[in-house]
């Protein structure tokens, strides 16, 4: 007796009430509410309302397609909250028209019906009620603008196949606006755009959810919406999270980048956990749809509203990617799969974050302030940042400038530093930490510093999406059933990619092990193996996988905070010691927890090239050097008991000289464009990236500054950039 349609039949119709001049009679509403309590939903004590009146008297407006269960869910929610309940079909339309809705539709036809329905809703007025809208209300803009002002619009996002089954059982074969020859599936797909336009909060309904379960999700959604103050972020070095009075929200951490105490921001309450039925809904969605739903669950709607977040997600993951799948998963051999994260505009996995992060950053910017974004890079972060920020338009672009530590154009400048990534990242953190410098820039130029490296939460969060998406692709393609584990092997440098996989696991993706793969700069492998992080006397060695040529891994701080259950004192002590003494050792019990979460191994330069050659010979697939590092380590550490996904973080064309060497190709052209053409003719898969030729031609025309590895020199570059980019405050 738990299916939605059965519940609909059990609910007895109450006597409809009247409204005058569009205002519902309060005594009649109270009577209707009392009668709703008598409906036979459940005899459980859980139905007794213990909640305070929500939303300060505003309405809760339930929206969704026909068959979504709005009426039944509305009655349950109203019952739980002790609020009046209004069904627009019964209590507004039929009372206005003095006839059943079906009769009205038959008499005037679909187009006229939508107009008259909308006008009736425009005359509607109520407050402090649970209102179940009709499935066609959102098609009338004026009516929705009117009712939206009265409360919170909650979209019951029910799977179309579930709805079709319910409507079939209810013997409903056509809905408003469905013309002859248009299938129910097509009209529901068409209507979805209108629900997405008006929602404030989405309630994602899992396949087979009962009305009681959907109602509980609605109640939690309302509670979350009201409790914005609880959805805050803390520094990994915060000594006492519970006693901290500082309220730092998503919009704050996006703009600030680094916490004031030198730590990294993390959600105070961790990540939301998603149940299996909701994950299965996501399996049937496109990448931007998956991204939107997951980001909605992680970003409070009062920080970024649902409609704007949707616009950002679909702009970030659209025609700018060379693959419609955005981050497709391909079978490599045996139990190994490759997630191709290189289809973005700069052929790097960083596009998955940096096509979205600049939009979030611009959205969260406070008015009347300029921002200079500092980025340290040894690999392909720079080009990905440039691509992402260059897509901003209008005022947003004029208020942001970028300085990378090799390119200068518009609001961006790059500086080549005669050192390594660790020096550049250390310099940026020092700039953030010097109040004299940041104060001077703010007062003198009205400019604040921020960062687009993965120390910024808005850079890390979108990476959780593609790890989740890889698992969902394997489910969709029948490789695994939901709940069966996978391993993920990630070329690891700054630990952001690995950390985002840990967070995907926290949200409910069944990742068994995160395998961290290092090149011969194996600092992460040594740490995870021994618990000792030792930089003393250690020098960075150049490699053929430069994006992971890192010795000081910033996001490791977030990982230690995670495995230590949020011990900010421990994290602060460890990383202060690392700054001062270049060394720390974690306690033995903590090392055990680290090794439960992750494995780690490293790969020599020769083994990296050998793997590229071997895989190409066996499968025709050409890996880049970073993916080859992951392949070698996965071969050594993964036990073969479940699928393993190799994160392919860059297209092989970006590292053509190393790939030529691996494949033992002779007579290599000197022109980089010709090199790409020759490589493309060698590889049967993946295909050559469509934008790489253009990027190569443009890069040959760019100029950039080269400077010494001195802090004062880079501070001067920052100030010069600000002077060139923004008007000086007089």
């Amino acid at each position: 007796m738990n299916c939605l349609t059965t519940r609909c039949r059990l609910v007895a119709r109450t006597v409809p009430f009247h409204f005058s001049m569009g205002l519902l009679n309060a005594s009649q509403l109270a009577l209707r509410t009392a009668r709703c309590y008598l409906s036979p939903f459940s005899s459980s004590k859980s139905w007794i309302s213990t909640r305070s009146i929500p939303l300060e008297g505003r309405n809760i407006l339930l929206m969704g397609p026909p068959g979504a269960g709005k009426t039944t869910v509305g009655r349950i929610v109203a019952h739980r909250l002790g609020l009046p309940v209004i069904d627009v079909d019964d209590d507004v339309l039929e009372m206005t028209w003095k006839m059943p809705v079906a009769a009205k539709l038959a008499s005037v036809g679909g187009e006229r019906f939508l107009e008259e329905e909308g006008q009736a809703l425009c005359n509607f007025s109520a407050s402090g009620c649970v209102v179940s809208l009709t499935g066609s209300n959102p098609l009338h803009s004026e009516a929705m603008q009117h009712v939206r002002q009265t409360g919170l619009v909650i979209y019951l996002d029910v799977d179309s196949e579930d709805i079709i089954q319910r409507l079939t059982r209810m013997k409903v074969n056509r809905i408003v606006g469905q013309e002859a020859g248009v299938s129910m599936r097509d009209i529901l797909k068409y209507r979805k755009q209108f629900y997405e336009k008006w929602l404030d909060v989405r309630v994602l309904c899992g396949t087979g959810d009962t009305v009681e379960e959907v109602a509980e999700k609605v109640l939690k959604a309302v509670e979350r919406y009201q409790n914005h103050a609880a959805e805050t972020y803390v520094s990994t070095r915060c000594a006492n999270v519970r006693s901290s009075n500082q309220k730092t929200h998503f919009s704050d951490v996006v703009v600030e980048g680094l916490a004031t105490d030198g730590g990294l921001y993390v959600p105070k309450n961790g990540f939301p956990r998603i149940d299996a039925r909701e994950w299965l809904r996501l399996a049937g969605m496109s990448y931007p749809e998956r991204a939107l739903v997951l980001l909605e669950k992680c970003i409070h709607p009062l920080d970024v509203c649902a409609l704007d977040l949707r616009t950002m997600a679909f702009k970030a993951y659209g025609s700018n990617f060379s693959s419609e799948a955005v981050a497709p998963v391909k079978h490599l051999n045996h139990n190994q799969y490759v997630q191709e994260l290189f289809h973005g505009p700069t052929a790097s996995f960083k596009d998955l974050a940096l096509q979205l992060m600049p939009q979030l950053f611009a959205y969260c910017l406070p008015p009347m302030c300029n921002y200079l974004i500092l980025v340290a890079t040894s690999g392909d972060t720079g080009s990905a940042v440039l691509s992402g920020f260059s897509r901003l338009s209008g005022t947003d672009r004029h208020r942001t400038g970028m300085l990378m530590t090799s390119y200068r154009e518009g609001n961006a400048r790059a500086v080549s530093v005669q050192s390594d990534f660790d020096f550049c990242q250390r310099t940026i953190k020092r700039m953030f930490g010097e109040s004299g410098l940041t104060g001077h820039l703010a007062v003198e130029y009205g400019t604040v510093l921020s960062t687009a490296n993965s120390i910024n939460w808005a850079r890390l969060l979108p990476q959780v999406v593609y790890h989740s998406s890889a698992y969902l692709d394997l489910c969709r393609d029948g490789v695994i059933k939901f709940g069966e584990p996978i391993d993920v092997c990630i070329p690891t440098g700054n630990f952001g990619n690995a950390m985002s996989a840990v967070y995907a696991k926290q949200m409910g993706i069944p990742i068994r092990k995160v395998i961290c793969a290092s090149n011969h700069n194996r600092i992460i492998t040594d740490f995870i193996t021994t618990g000792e992080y030792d930089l003393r006397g250690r020098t960075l060695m150049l490699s053929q996988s430069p994006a992971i040529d890192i010795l000081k891994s910033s996001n490791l701080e977030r990982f230690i905070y995670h495995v230590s259950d949020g011990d900010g004192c421990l994290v602060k002590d460890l990383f202060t010691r690392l700054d001062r003494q270049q060394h720390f050792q974690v306690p033995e019990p903590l090392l055990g927890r680290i090794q439960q979460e992750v494995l780690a191994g490293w790969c020599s330069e020769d083994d990296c090239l050998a793997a590229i050659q071997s895989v190409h010979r066996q499968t025709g697939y050409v890996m880049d050097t970073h993916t080859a590092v992951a392949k070698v380590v996965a071969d050594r550490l993964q036990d073969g008991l479940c699928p393993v996904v190799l994160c392919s973080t860059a297209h092989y064309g970006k590292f053509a000289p190393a790939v030529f060497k691996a494949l033992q190709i002779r007579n290599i052209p000197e022109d980089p464009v010709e090199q790409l053409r020759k490589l493309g003719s060698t590889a049967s898969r993946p295909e050559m990236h469509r934008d790489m030729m253009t990027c190569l031609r443009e890069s040959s025309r760019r100029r950039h500054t080269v400077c010494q590895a001195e802090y004062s020199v880079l501070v001067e570059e920052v100030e010069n950039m600000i002077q060139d980019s923004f008007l000086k405050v007089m």
Side-chain angles (χ1 to χ4, degrees), residues 152-178:
L152 182 71
V153 180
I154 299 179
Y155 171 33
L156 304 188
D157 187 352
V158 181
D159 183 56
S160 294
E161 296 306 315
D162 278 358
I163 288 175
I164 290 170
Q165 291 178 21
R166 293 168 185 171
L167 293 177
T168 300
R169 289 196 295 268
M170 295 164 66
K171 298 183 179 179
V172 175
N173 54 22
R174 289 185 69 183
I175 61 176
V176 176
Q178 184 179 358

Side-chain angles (χ1 to χ4, degrees), residues 460-486:
L460 190 68
L461 178 60
Q463 295 180 252
V464 177
V465 175
Y466 62 70
H467 289 299
S468 304
S469 185
Y471 186 87
L472 296 174
D473 279 357
L474 293 177
C475 290
R476 181 199 61 201
D477 296 342
V479 177
I480 54 174
K481 294 180 180 178
F482 191 89
E484 295 177 350
I486 65 166

Side-chain angles (χ1 to χ4, degrees), residues 2 162 166 205-211 213 277:
N2 280 336
D162 278 358
R166 293 168 185 171
C205 304
T207 304
D209 277 357
T210 65
V211 285
E213 289 168 330
R277 285 182 292 193

Side-chain angles (χ1 to χ4, degrees), residues 197-216:
K197 176 180 178 180
W198 297 111
L199 72 94
D200 291 312
V201 176
R202 181 193 312 272
V203 168
L204 185 68
C205 304
T207 304
D209 277 357
T210 65
V211 285
E212 290 93 341
E213 289 168 330
V214 174
E216 187 61 35

Side-chain angles (χ1 to χ4, degrees), residues 75-143:
R75 287 171 175 158
I76 297 174
V77 170
H79 178 104
R80 293 285 296 274
L81 296 175
L83 297 178
V85 61
I86 301 167
D87 181 78
V88 169
D89 263 335
D90 292 352
D91 305 324
V92 178
L93 300 182
E94 293 192 0
M95 293 305 301
T96 301
W97 295 332
K98 310 299 183 187
M99 67 171 69
V101 170
K104 182 71 172 180
L105 177 60
S107 67
V108 301
E111 187 173 342
R112 184 63 191 166
F113 177 89
L114 289 174
E115 181 58 30
E116 293 197 22
E117 179 188 54
Q119 290 305 315
L121 197 60
C122 286
N123 294 324
F124 164 77
S125 178
S127 62
C129 300
V130 178
V131 181
S132 298
L133 300 173
T134 74
S136 52
N137 281 156
L139 278 66
H140 196 283
S141 292
E142 184 183 354

Side-chain angles (χ1 to χ4, degrees), residues 3-40:
C3 76
L4 183 64
T5 52
T6 302
R7 289 289 176 185
C8 287
R9 294 189 187 107
L10 283 174
V11 178
R13 294 261 176 151
T14 55
V15 177
F17 50 85
H18 301 280
F19 63 95
S20 176
M21 299 297 291
L23 183 63
L24 294 168
N25 182 290
S27 62
Q28 291 169 328
L29 285 174
L31 176 61
R32 180 169 176 78
T33 304
R35 286 175 175 164
C36 285
Y37 291 166
L38 300 176
S39 298

Side-chain angles (χ1 to χ4, degrees), residues 312-533:
M312 293 180 205
F314 277 77
K315 181 180 179 181
Y317 308 118
S319 60
N320 50 328
F321 278 75
S322 61
S323 169
E324 187 176 352
V326 179
V329 177
K330 307 286 183 64
H331 182 246
L332 188 62
N333 55 23
H334 307 301
N335 70 321
Q336 293 183 341
Y337 295 80
V338 174
Q339 186 177 29
E340 296 180 345
L341 300 172
F342 50 69
H343 291 287
T346 71
S348 163
F349 82 103
K350 293 168 184 176
D351 289 324
L352 275 298
L354 286 165
Q355 290 296 298
L356 178 65
M357 184 264 184
Q359 298 182 73
L360 291 169
F361 185 87
Y363 185 93
C364 295
L365 282 180
M368 304 303 292
C369 193
N370 299 316
Y371 279 81
L372 183 67
I373 299 142
L374 304 178
V375 184
T377 177
S378 64
D380 41 22
T381 302
S383 57
V385 170
L386 288 169
S387 173
F389 276 91
S390 69
R391 299 184 76 213
L392 296 179
S393 57
T395 304
D396 291 336
R397 188 170 187 178
H398 293 306
R399 293 174 59 208
T400 58
M402 291 170 286
L403 182 68
M404 294 187 308
T405 54
S406 304
Y407 172 94
R408 177 176 180 170
E409 182 178 297
N411 64 338
R413 179 183 301 181
V415 176
S416 291
V417 182
Q418 294 176 332
S419 186
D420 55 30
F421 173 84
D422 292 308
F423 171 81
C424 295
Q425 183 164 255
R426 187 166 64 248
T427 298
I428 287 176
K429 286 187 174 182
R430 182 177 170 185
M431 290 182 189
F432 273 85
E434 289 198 359
S435 57
L437 174 63
T438 56
H440 164 70
L441 298 178
V443 172
E444 191 73 8
Y445 302 107
T447 298
V448 176
L449 300 180
S450 190
T451 179
N453 284 104
S454 58
I455 57 177
N456 189 310
W457 184 252
R459 164 72 190 282
L460 190 68
L461 178 60
Q463 295 180 252
V464 177
V465 175
Y466 62 70
H467 289 299
S468 304
S469 185
Y471 186 87
L472 296 174
D473 279 357
L474 293 177
C475 290
R476 181 199 61 201
D477 296 342
V479 177
I480 54 174
K481 294 180 180 178
F482 191 89
E484 295 177 350
I486 65 166
D487 292 334
V488 179
C489 190
I490 302 169
T492 305
N494 214 23
F495 210 82
N497 202 347
M499 193 66 232
S500 59
V502 173
Y503 286 143
K505 181 177 180 179
Q506 192 177 11
M507 290 188 79
I509 291 294
I511 295 174
R512 186 182 63 158
K513 289 288 186 181
V514 175
I515 304 172
C516 299
S518 307
N519 58 25
H520 56 198
N521 293 297
R522 57 180 192 265
I523 188 74
I524 291 295
T525 299
D526 290 348
F527 169 69
I528 291 170
T529 303
T530 66
E532 183 179 34
Y533 206 101

